[in-house]
Structure formats: structure tokens, C-alpha cells
Amino acid sequence: MCSIAKKSHPLLFSLPQFLTWRAHGFRSICSGRLGFAASSDPEPPAGAGTKVLDSFKEEFEIGSHLISLETGKIARFANGAVVLGIEETKVLCTVASSKGDAFSDFLPLTVDYQEKQFAQGVIPNTFMRREGAPKERELLCGRLIDRPIRPLFPLGFYHEVQIMASVLSSDGKQDPDVMAANAASAALMLSDIPWGGPIGVIRLGRICGKFIVNPTVDELSLSDLNLVYACTRDKTLMIDVQACEISEKDLEAGLRLAHPEAIKYIEPQIRLAAKAGKQKKKYKLSMVSEKTLEKVTKLAEKPVEAVFTDPSYGKFERGEALDKITQDVKGALEEECDEESLKVLPKVVDTVRKKVVRKRIIAEGIRVDGRRLDEVRPIYCESSNLPILHGSSLFSRGDTQVLCTVTLGAPGDAQHLESLVGPPRKRFMLHYSFPPFSINEVGKRVGLNRREVGHGTLAEKALLAVLPPEVDFLYTVRINSEVMASDGSTSMATVCGGSMALMDAGVPLREHVAGVSVGLVSEVDPSTGAIKDYRILTDILGLEDHLGDMDFKIAGTRNGVTAIQLDIKPAGIPLDIICESLEPALKGRLQILDHMEREISAPRTQDDRNSPRLVTMKINNDALRRLIGPLGALKRKIEEETGAKLSVSDGTLTIIAKKKSMMEEVLEKVYFVIGREIEVGGIYKGIVTSVKEYGAFVEFNGGQQGLLHISELSHEPVSRVSDVLSIGQPLSVMCIGQDVRGNVKLSLKATLPQPGPETRKLVEGSVPAMKETPNVWASVGDVSNRLEQQTSVLEESVSKNKVSSVNPSASSVPIVLIRNAAECDEEEKCAGLNHSSNSKSKSSDASKQDQNSSTCKKLKSSSQKGREIGSNSNFISGDDTDEIFTLASQARSRILNGKETEGRTPMTAKKLKLGTKVTAKVYQIRARGLVLDLGGGIRGMYRFENNGKNHHEIGDELHVECLSFNSKGIPIMTLVDEA
């Protein structure tokens, strides 16, 4: 466009500079308007050494980490802003305060902690791709910052203060919560808000008995202690502990080590505040005048003292009496028209109550309800009060009552976490609820409550130490704690009730866990602020928590502490008093554990009514694909039909069902799809897929095929298979073995009651106590006559009939298996011929030899037509098969009824040695030898001599001697008469 304009108006672009628009201060023509142009003279460059941003930085070392505090670069408009960094993890903390006078009678301090996903280079997985409501971890970190900071604000300072902590970047090595607490202290020091800091917050771990300062996340996963400690130079402000049954002595050693390490954070904050801090502003404090305090004390002290000295008052009766006193004082002030006193009346009356209670405890050692200082309130325990649930318990201590329930779920039910550090999932959850009716109030239940999340997490930490490891207990566990009535220490009551509910659910806890809250009432010197006298209270009431100085919650087993939470109201408590409180807490905890163990002392066994079942199995990927189906359709169908839950992960299938019958149903469906290892003697459900003249083929066990021969259909003779079976008919069949090619042999009559007085039904799905080992009989070839070759022919058949080493006296039943479908057509023909010939009496040895040779020829002919088994193979004929099946059924019946062979001394594997002489029976006649029944289910081999003839019949008794054992341990026998 510029070149075109030059060509059309050459004089316009060749004017001298003094005649142009810009020379007179006009802009170029734009949108048909003229305007003056801004001066184009460049600004003079900044002088050397001038900084655009004035930033200040302090670096120091604690433990093995270099820590930096920086201000002035980010969030310059905040009242105070600090970035604290450890390596690549950086946390920004800002402070702001409201302007003008305060109109509340409490400190409206708000602490917000946030972990945005950009800090670890991740886009949020939510629908809007934004961070949503605060997560539980963020609420807990906010409480961790709030608890040590709040007591250091001056009395009467009621201006709104907001502290916001944000994680700017995280390398996953350091937990940002402790960093945010120290950054908040530094930001308050830089601001103009009056505050009694600074403070230091430290984390302490212990690995192999050695304490570690500021451990990394990886080190913390190996530690048996997670201690967060906050303090000023000389006093303790906050303690938070999660431990694996650490002793009180070791805990005290950890606290005394943490204090000097935490102080190291204080000096850098003071130096940074000296460089960049603001002048503290003088805010108006809402203080009660001495005149008003004296007047209200004179009117209310005696009535309040009368209420607190009467131990017959309950919580609500005492509250009503105190409210009546307040109304009486209010009426007296209204008569005097004292508007100033009426404005602060509730606070002044509360001050009078606090003074009366504390004076009586310190002077007389008597508490509000008349208990001694170390006395625990009456305890009531009840487990399994809701028997339909997996686990339940009711725990009462005084007027505090908590109902706990346990629900067991599949591993897939675990909570998925999205925090910057820590594990990605949580399998143990404890949810604490504090409904308004528990204190007889009306309230609205909305969202997550910080107090509920904090109390639930404390109880969760206490119980986590005694849970079994995940590899031993795969269930996801959820405890729900409902506070039924509250009068102090509901979180510790949750620990006790949760422990009993877990044992009621059958969770194998190592020990019971109990918790108790310890309080403190102290007398302070007004001039110095030092504690002159104090009393430690065990198991404090809600009123003692409100009017006292400390709420020290300690939970643990008989062996040690598992969780601690310390909250205080004054500006610090000496560490010596904290350590002294551990002893009365232990005594109170042991008393509570005695009551809990009397109610339930060990995990209950699971029953069919209310206990879920969980099964985990390793299966290959092909089977998993078949089970899941297209787009998970088959998996969803099984879940809808059975009500169970199936989860697949890394080649592992996990099934959870509500009860045993449901688990059996879903396992049957799963096994039908993916199959399972077939056991001889096991009973399976199947469907008839084809019907032949010689039997039927049945599909079972996840698509596997098995042959149900006509001889195995019923105890009565069956002429046609189609009269009994049809295609698509469901059956329950027993696996009785497999042939040399691996074809499965099934039996229907083995699942049916046998005729006769001793009828025994086989329950579907059960497996007999004596598992039948499949006997695969090898063919006998026309090979060399050497003993080694004879042994190789018979060793496979005999070895699979050996007695189990567990119970030698009860033998497994030998099963002779027929072959695949292709063989059966030919075998039926052989069986028909041989059956007619064998029905005649055997008059001589020659006739027997002729029968055997004809059978061999027919079988050899059939093998050449339809199968290839091997050259010169001899097989058992069809009539022999029927006879052996009959013998096997009788033997199985004798074994199942626990009967041994009558008239014979049972032989055992231990008795049989070289040279042992026994009387054996001919069990089978083979082409090259005999299979002998030595008794007790033991089979032996006897080979014919060269060109020897068979003069034996099945059932003949022979006197034999053990000559040797082959490589598989099968005895080789010889006749005694021939020896």
C-alpha cells in the first residue's frame, strides 16, 4: 500500500521535514481525523545502580537444606508478602487487614492455603480445567498455619485479618505445609499488624531410631514419626504428631530436639523485618474497662460460684443456670441505664465464669463436675450394635457419645488424591460429622467444615498405625463417626469407637487404640507473664476446654503414642509442662483401654450375614479381555446380575461381594468366561454343545470342551445319548481325568447318587477330600524286551496311581481315560465286538491270547484311519474300559465312605522296601506284563519273561517280592515262586 501511495502522490512523500504534519505536532491521518502526536523524545536512561524492584533476601541453613526468605519482588501491594524457598519448592504467603474500627467481639482470622496444579506442571483434570473447592489437605494445611499464629495476636484486637498461602512451584521433595507456616510468620512480621511473633515451625522424622530435621517426602515415607512443632523463643505453641506407637520417652526426646531447631527460623525473620518491615500500626483494641468488670463481677460472681460448686448440674442445666444469671445482671444494668456495660455484658460474664472456675481448680483441686484432676469420666462401650453393618460401635465417656460404623470396599474404592506431595491414593478414610443436634442447636450443614476435617484426620492418624499392611489386607476401609452428644473430646471418643468398630468388622488390628484429652489451668504473674502455678486436668469437659489454657489430645495403644494434637489459648506454654502432661495422659488412656478390651478384645471372624468377601486372582491378558468384553459390556453385565464389583489392574482381577453366596455366584460366572485350573474330582457347570452316538461334548470352564461318554451318563445302561441329553442342556459334570492328548473326560453319573443303601450325594461345587489324580495310561509298543523299556511303558500309568504322601492309607482312585471324539467312533466298533467275545467264558489261555490279538489288530486298524498315536500301539478295549470304570466307581465309593479293602492289611509307601514280600492282586493285564495292586492304593509292575505266556486273570493273587524301583519310584516286582 505504501508503494502504491508513493506512485500516485510523489510530491506528498518528498516534502521537506518542516512542512510535514509531524513537524507541527499532528498525528498521521487515521480514520479521517487529525490529532496531536505524543512527544517521541526518548526518556533519559536510568542512572547506574538504580533498581526497578527493591527486593530483600535472607538465606540460612537448617538441617541439610538451604532456606531463603525473599520479599519485595512479588505481591508488593499486600500488607506483607514473603516467598520462602527450599531448593525448587517455593511458597508465597501474603497478609492483609481490614481498615477502620472493628465491630466484632472475636478475632476474625482467616487462613487460606492453596495448591494449584500449575505448581507441578499439570492441567487440572476437572471439567472446567480449574481448581475447585478447597480439598481436605488444603483445609488441614490452613489449620496448621492458623493454630500457632492465632494465640499471638493481642487481646482486644478484633480487626479482620486474612492470610493466603499459595504454592508457586513444587519439586515433590518437600512438603509445603511447614514452609507456608514459616512464610506466614515472616509476612506478619513485615506487615503493620500488631502481632507477638515471630515463630518457628519445624518437621521432625525418625528413621531407624535417628531423628531427621526437615525430612523429605521420601524420607518421611520411611519414618515412624511425623512431628510438626511450632514455638516462640521460649514457649511451645503447637504440636501435631503422627507416629507408629512411639514411647512417651522417645516422644519427649523428639520434642526437646525440635525446639532449638525451630528457633533457627526466628532470627532470619527479624533481620528481614528490620530491612523491609513496616511500622506497626496502632489499632483500636476492644478492651473492657475496669469499672465495668468490677461492677459485673460484684453482681455475678456469687451466683456463678454457686452453680459451679454444685456437681449435680449437667451440661445443659448448668448452661441454663448461667444464662439466668446473665439475664439477672442485664436487668440490673438496664435499671442503672449503663449502656457501656450492656454492650460487653456477655464477654464480661464469661470472664467472671473463667475466673471462678480456674480459681477453684488451682486452690482446691476440684473440677466443675466434682471429679479429681486425674479422674476419667464414666465409660460405656458397645460393639456390634448395628449387626447388619460390616462393623459398628457405640462409645460414651461422660456425656460425650459417638457412633462409629465401618464399611469395607474393594481396592478400587480407595480415595484418589491430587496433592502436590504424598501418595496418589488413600485406602483408609475416617469421616467425622458433628451435627447440630449433638449440642442441642439448630444449624445448617453445608460443604466441608474445617473443624470436622481436622478432628477426623486426627482420629484417622491415630488408627492408621495399627492397620494391617495393604499386602495382607486388600480392603478399602471407611469409618464414619457420628457425634451423638458432645461435651468435650469427641475426636478422642472417635478414636476409641473407631477402634472397636474395626475389630467388630473383622479388620485384624494389632492393638486397640484409645485417646484422651488433657487440659491445663494456670495462674500467671500479671507483671512478668510467667506461670506461677498450674494444674493438669485429665479428660476435660467442653467447659474446661473453653475456660482452660490447653487442649492436648493424645491417642495411642498400650505400647506407645500414635497421634497428638496440641492447641493452646495463651501466647505459649513452657515445654516442660507439655512433657509433664504425657504421664497423666498415659494413665487415662490405659483406663479407657481396659473398658474397650472388656467389650471386644480381638477381631471378630467374618460371617455370611454381613461380612463382604474379597478375592484377588492373577490371570493373563487374554482372559482379562474376554472377561471385560467389548467396551466393558460383559464386566458390567456380571456386576449388574450379581451385585458384586470387579476391578482389573495390572493382570490382577479383584472381586468384592457383599456376602459369601454372592461371591460364589460371581466366581461361577467369571470362571465360566475365563476358565480355571481343572481339578480331577471337581464338579463344573457346563452346556451340551454336540451329541454323538458314543456320548456328548460339553463346554465348561470358560469355553473348554470335554467328552461325556455314554458309559458315564448314568448308573443304569443308556441305549441312546439323545434320550438323555440335548444340545444346549445345562449340566453339572465331574472331571475324572484326561487322556494322553489332553482331552478332558467328564462324568455325569459321578455326580448322581449311587443306587443302594449307601447313597451319597455330591454337593455341586464341592471337591472330594481325596483329589483324584488323572491316570494317563501309556500305550505298550512291540519293542525290545529289556526291563528298562518295559519300565518306560508302564511307569506313567502306575506313577499316577501312587498314594498321596499326606495320607498313605487312602489311595487316589485310578481312572482310565478314553480319547478324543475322533477315536470314539472307531472304539465303539471295537467295544461292540470285544463285548460279545468277552461275554463268553474264558476256557483256555489260547482263547485269551486270540481275543487280545484280535483287539489289537482292530485298534491298530482304527488308529490308521482316524488318528496317529504311535507305531505298534496296543490299547485297552471298550469292554475293558467299561469294566475299569465300574471298578473305579466302586473304589471311589469305598474311599469316600472311608472304607479300606476288606480282608487285607493295607500297604503303605513307608513299609515297601527292597526285598519286601507281599500278596498282590492282578489289577490289569498288559501286553508285556501285569499291573499289580499291592494294597493301600500302591501299584507295582511285573514283566513277563521272554516269550512268556499270560496264565493270569484279573483278581488273581500272587506272592511277589520288591526287586527294584524305577526312576519314578514305581516298584518292580518279581514272583516269589520264580525267584
Side-chain angles (χ1 to χ4, degrees):
M1 293 297 293
C2 182
S3 61
I4 295 174
K6 285 183 179 181
K7 291 179 181 179
S8 59
H9 304 285
L11 293 178
L12 182 62
F13 291 91
S14 61
L15 291 175
Q17 175 67 25
F18 68 92
L19 293 178
T20 58
W21 294 101
R22 295 183 182 276
H24 295 280
F26 287 99
R27 296 193 188 97
S28 300
I29 298 175
C30 182
S31 302
R33 294 175 296 174
L34 295 176
F36 287 97
S39 175
S40 60
D41 295 335
E43 295 182 0
T50 302
K51 293 184 179 179
V52 177
L53 295 177
D54 292 330
S55 62
F56 303 91
K57 190 173 184 180
E58 286 289 333
E59 291 185 345
F60 55 101
E61 189 174 346
I62 296 180
S64 60
H65 302 285
L66 181 65
I67 304 173
S68 64
L69 290 172
E70 187 175 6
T71 186
K73 183 181 291 187
I74 300 178
R76 302 179 69 191
F77 285 170
N79 205 330
V82 170
V83 176
L84 189 147
I86 300 180
E87 296 180 0
E88 297 302 323
T89 301
K90 297 185 182 299
V91 179
L92 168 67
C93 193
T94 60
V95 177
S97 177
S98 63
K99 310 300 186 292
D101 297 334
F103 297 100
S104 60
D105 58 350
F106 66 96
L107 173 62
L109 172 63
T110 304
V111 179
D112 294 318
Y113 173 89
Q114 192 171 26
E115 292 179 347
K116 291 192 175 182
Q117 295 299 307
F118 72 80
Q120 57 180 350
V122 174
I123 296 175
N125 198 27
T126 59
F127 178 77
M128 298 297 294
R129 296 298 185 266
R130 295 173 64 97
E131 285 79 11
K135 299 182 284 290
E136 286 190 11
R137 171 176 163 80
E138 293 174 328
L139 296 179
L140 293 171
C141 293
R143 282 173 53 88
L144 194 73
I145 301 170
D146 181 292
R147 286 158 52 195
I149 286 175
R150 185 179 292 270
L152 297 180
F153 285 93
L155 295 176
F157 179 80
Y158 298 145
H159 292 261
E160 186 175 3
V161 178
Q162 185 177 34
I163 300 175
M164 299 188 69
S166 303
V167 182
L168 301 181
S169 65
S170 174
D171 58 5
K173 297 179 181 179
Q174 290 290 327
D175 196 328
D177 55 355
V178 171
M179 299 173 59
N182 286 290
S185 173
L188 283 169
M189 290 294 294
L190 293 173
S191 69
D192 61 5
I193 301 171
W195 188 63
I199 67 170
V201 185
I202 199 78
R203 171 172 270 116
L204 204 67
R206 189 178 71 164
I207 301 177
C208 299
K210 182 180 179 181
F211 290 106
I212 301 174
V213 178
N214 279 344
T216 63
V217 174
D218 294 336
E219 290 173 338
L220 208 57
S221 64
L222 303 175
S223 173
D224 62 352
L225 174 66
N226 185 356
L227 167 64
V228 179
Y229 181 84
C231 65
T232 60
R233 285 188 182 276
D234 55 353
K235 292 184 179 180
T236 302
L237 289 168
M238 186 267 296
I239 298 174
D240 195 278
V241 174
Q242 179 181 358
C244 296
E245 297 181 281
I246 185 173
S247 65
E248 279 75 8
K249 181 179 178 181
D250 293 344
L251 179 61
E252 181 178 349
L255 293 174
R256 296 195 181 278
L257 173 63
H259 188 88
E261 294 293 333
I263 292 176
K264 295 179 182 179
Y265 279 97
I266 294 179
E267 285 299 330
Q269 297 180 44
I270 295 176
R271 293 197 300 267
L272 187 65
K275 295 178 183 178
K278 299 178 181 178
Q279 185 70 29
K280 294 298 181 182
K281 186 178 179 181
K282 293 184 179 179
Y283 288 85
K284 182 179 179 180
L285 302 180
S286 300
M287 304 295 291
V288 179
S289 64
E290 292 293 335
K291 179 181 177 182
T292 300
L293 181 60
E294 184 178 351
K295 182 184 293 187
V296 175
T297 301
K298 185 177 180 181
L299 293 173
E301 185 174 14
K302 293 295 183 182
V304 169
E305 189 175 352
V307 172
F308 285 127
T309 54
D310 188 353
S312 63
Y313 280 107
K315 175 179 179 179
F316 293 104
E317 292 81 5
R318 189 183 302 114
E320 291 174 358
L322 293 174
D323 289 340
K324 186 177 182 302
I325 293 173
T326 303
Q327 294 300 322
D328 293 342
V329 175
K330 182 179 179 181
L333 294 177
E334 287 177 347
E335 291 179 0
E336 298 179 5
C337 299
D338 190 350
E339 296 295 334
E340 181 183 354
S341 299
L342 288 172
K343 290 180 181 180
V344 295
L345 178 60
K347 182 172 290 296
V348 178
V349 172
D350 187 68
T351 303
V352 173
R353 288 189 300 174
K354 184 175 182 180
K355 180 180 178 181
V356 171
V357 172
R358 295 167 68 91
K359 180 180 178 181
R360 187 162 181 261
I361 290 176
I362 291 178
E364 303 176 19
I366 300 177
R367 302 164 68 170
V368 174
D369 55 355
R371 283 184 294 151
R372 300 187 308 273
L373 298 181
D374 60 347
E375 185 177 354
V376 179
R377 288 173 288 176
I379 296 173
Y380 173 76
C381 301
E382 181 181 345
S383 63
S384 193
N385 56 311
L386 300 174
I388 195 62
L389 304 182
H390 297 168
S392 61
S393 69
L394 187 66
F395 181 84
S396 298
R397 183 169 55 217
D399 290 332
T400 296
Q401 186 182 62
V402 172
L403 173 67
C404 289
T405 60
V406 170
T407 306
L408 303 179
D413 295 330
Q415 181 181 2
H416 295 275
L417 306 176
E418 294 183 353
S419 61
L420 300 181
V421 294
R425 55 188 293 273
K426 185 169 71 170
R427 73 177 183 109
F428 175 61
M429 300 161 283
L430 194 150
H431 296 154
Y432 168 97
S433 299
F434 191 89
F437 67 79
S438 64
I439 52 175
N440 196 24
E441 288 184 358
V442 177
K444 187 181 293 185
R445 304 296 302 273
V446 289
L448 284 176
N449 183 282
R450 289 176 180 258
R451 180 181 179 276
E452 290 181 339
V453 172
H455 281 42
T457 302
L458 174 62
E460 183 180 295
K461 291 178 181 178
L463 294 170
L464 190 61
V466 297
L467 282 181
E470 188 171 2
V471 293
D472 298 333
F473 191 77
L474 296 175
Y475 292 92
T476 295
V477 183
R478 180 188 184 233
I479 298 179
N480 195 74
S481 173
E482 295 285 340
V483 178
M484 298 289 106
S486 174
D487 191 14
S489 301
T490 53
S491 60
M492 295 295 96
T494 296
V495 174
C496 302
S499 181
M500 291 194 301
L502 286 171
M503 282 200 177
D504 183 56
V507 179
L509 299 186
R510 295 202 309 269
E511 294 279 346
H512 257 315
V513 183
V516 67
S517 185
V518 177
L520 176 71
V521 173
S522 61
E523 184 179 351
V524 180
D525 188 348
S527 59
T528 62
I531 296 178
K532 298 190 301 182
D533 197 4
Y534 63 91
R535 296 289 184 272
I536 296 174
L537 314 178
T538 303
D539 186 22
I540 58 176
L541 298 171
L543 183 64
E544 293 171 337
D545 181 14
H546 173 68
L547 302 179
D549 296 332
M550 177 180 74
D551 184 9
F552 193 16
K553 302 182 180 73
I554 306 175
T557 65
R558 294 185 180 274
N559 301 324
V561 176
T562 58
I564 284 179
Q565 180 176 296
L566 170 65
D567 294 320
I568 65 172
K569 295 177 178 63
I573 295 174
L575 182 58
D576 292 338
I577 297 179
I578 302 296
C579 295
E580 185 182 346
S581 303
L582 296 174
E583 184 63 26
L586 173 60
K587 293 181 179 179
R589 188 168 78 240
L590 295 178
Q591 295 179 35
I592 300 169
L593 286 171
D594 291 338
H595 286 83
M596 294 168 58
E597 290 172 355
R598 281 196 289 268
E599 174 62 23
I600 178 171
S601 59
R604 299 190 193 278
T605 56
Q606 293 183 341
D607 51 47
D608 297 340
R609 180 181 57 180
N610 60 358
S611 295
R613 294 293 189 271
L614 188 144
V615 170
T616 301
M617 59 182 72
K618 291 282 186 181
I619 54 180
N620 57 49
N621 293 331
D622 293 336
L624 281 178
R625 282 192 288 269
R626 293 200 308 270
L627 178 64
I628 295 174
L631 301 177
L634 183 56
K635 173 177 171 289
R636 288 195 300 271
K637 181 181 178 182
I638 295 176
E639 290 177 337
E640 291 171 0
E641 291 178 352
T642 61
K645 289 185 179 181
L646 281 70
S647 61
V648 178
S649 174
D650 192 22
T652 301
L653 173 65
T654 303
I655 308 171
I656 186 165
K658 291 183 178 179
K659 50 187 177 180
K660 183 179 179 181
S661 59
M662 183 184 294
M663 177 59 75
E664 292 175 352
E665 181 183 0
V666 70
L667 282 177
E668 193 65 43
K669 291 181 179 295
V670 169
Y671 284 143
F672 189 82
V673 175
I674 67 174
R676 58 179 164 180
E677 185 179 351
I678 301 175
E679 294 181 345
V680 175
I683 298 179
Y684 305 91
K685 288 184 178 180
I687 297 177
V688 178
T689 57
S690 63
V691 177
K692 305 291 183 182
E693 293 182 0
Y694 51 81
F697 286 94
V698 179
E699 181 179 341
F700 73 107
N701 197 35
Q704 229 167 343
Q705 291 279 347
L707 175 62
L708 179 59
H709 193 259
I710 188 172
S711 61
E712 292 296 324
L713 290 178
S714 175
H715 295 289
E716 303 295 333
V718 176
S719 58
R720 291 199 311 173
V721 179
S722 58
D723 294 340
V724 180
L725 301 178
S726 60
I727 296 177
Q729 179 179 348
L731 294 175
S732 293
V733 291
M734 175 187 286
C735 173
I736 56 176
Q738 62 184 126
D739 63 11
V740 291
R741 291 191 174 184
N743 301 306
V744 179
K745 174 66 179 176
L746 302 176
S747 174
L748 180 62
K749 71 179 182 181
T751 65
L752 303 175
Q754 296 184 6
E758 297 181 359
T759 300
R760 184 178 186 271
K761 291 185 178 181
L762 295 176
V763 181
E764 184 178 316
S766 64
V767 179
M770 291 301 300
K771 295 183 179 179
E772 299 175 357
T773 305
N775 267 322
V776 183
W777 291 85
S779 60
V780 181
D782 188 10
V783 293
S784 175
N785 292 326
R786 291 180 303 164
L787 179 61
E788 292 80 1
Q789 292 174 332
Q790 292 293 328
T791 301
S792 64
V793 171
L794 295 176
E795 64 184 1
E796 184 177 359
S797 63
V798 182
S799 64
K800 295 190 176 181
N801 286 320
K802 292 198 310 181
V803 182
S804 171
S805 61
V806 177
N807 187 3
S809 64
S811 64
S812 59
V813 181
I815 303 296
V816 179
L817 302 181
I818 63 174
R819 290 156 297 283
N820 55 21
E823 303 172 29
C824 295
D825 295 327
E826 298 295 335
E827 188 181 4
E828 276 193 332
K829 298 176 183 179
C830 292
L833 294 174
N834 291 329
H835 181 69
S836 60
S837 61
N838 286 338
S839 60
K840 301 176 183 179
S841 61
K842 300 178 181 179
S843 58
S844 64
D845 296 337
S847 63
K848 284 187 265 182
Q849 294 286 352
D850 294 338
Q851 287 178 357
N852 289 335
S853 61
S854 64
T855 301
C856 294
K857 291 178 181 178
K858 291 181 182 295
L859 285 175
K860 186 180 298 183
S861 173
S862 65
S863 69
Q864 293 172 355
K865 293 178 182 179
R867 50 196 164 90
E868 293 182 6
I869 304 298
S871 61
N872 301 325
S873 298
N874 291 328
F875 290 93
I876 299 172
S877 61
D879 58 325
D880 291 334
T881 303
D882 294 338
E883 182 181 0
I884 293 173
F885 280 140
T886 303
L887 292 173
S889 299
Q890 295 174 357
R892 183 187 299 109
S893 177
R894 289 196 301 270
I895 290 175
L896 292 177
N897 288 286
K899 295 181 179 180
E900 299 289 345
T901 305
E902 296 180 1
R904 299 179 61 193
T905 302
M907 173 61 65
T908 63
K910 293 182 178 180
K911 293 181 180 180
L912 188 61
K913 300 178 181 178
L914 293 179
T916 303
K917 297 180 180 180
V918 295
T919 300
K921 284 188 176 182
V922 177
Y923 183 78
Q924 279 188 353
I925 302 174
R926 310 291 295 198
R928 296 292 180 179
L930 302 176
V931 177
L932 303 177
D933 183 2
L934 305 181
I938 302 178
R939 303 287 184 263
M941 296 189 303
Y942 167 72
R943 60 173 292 275
F944 296 142
E945 296 294 332
N946 293 339
N947 301 323
K949 296 183 178 180
N950 180 14
H951 299 284
H952 306 285
E953 295 183 1
I954 294 177
D956 288 351
E957 291 189 355
L958 302 175
H959 297 285
V960 293
E961 180 181 354
C962 181
L963 182 64
S964 63
F965 294 89
N966 67 357
S967 59
K968 294 187 178 181
I970 300 173
I972 309 299
M973 312 302 293
T974 181
L975 293 177
V976 175
D977 297 337
E978 298 176 0

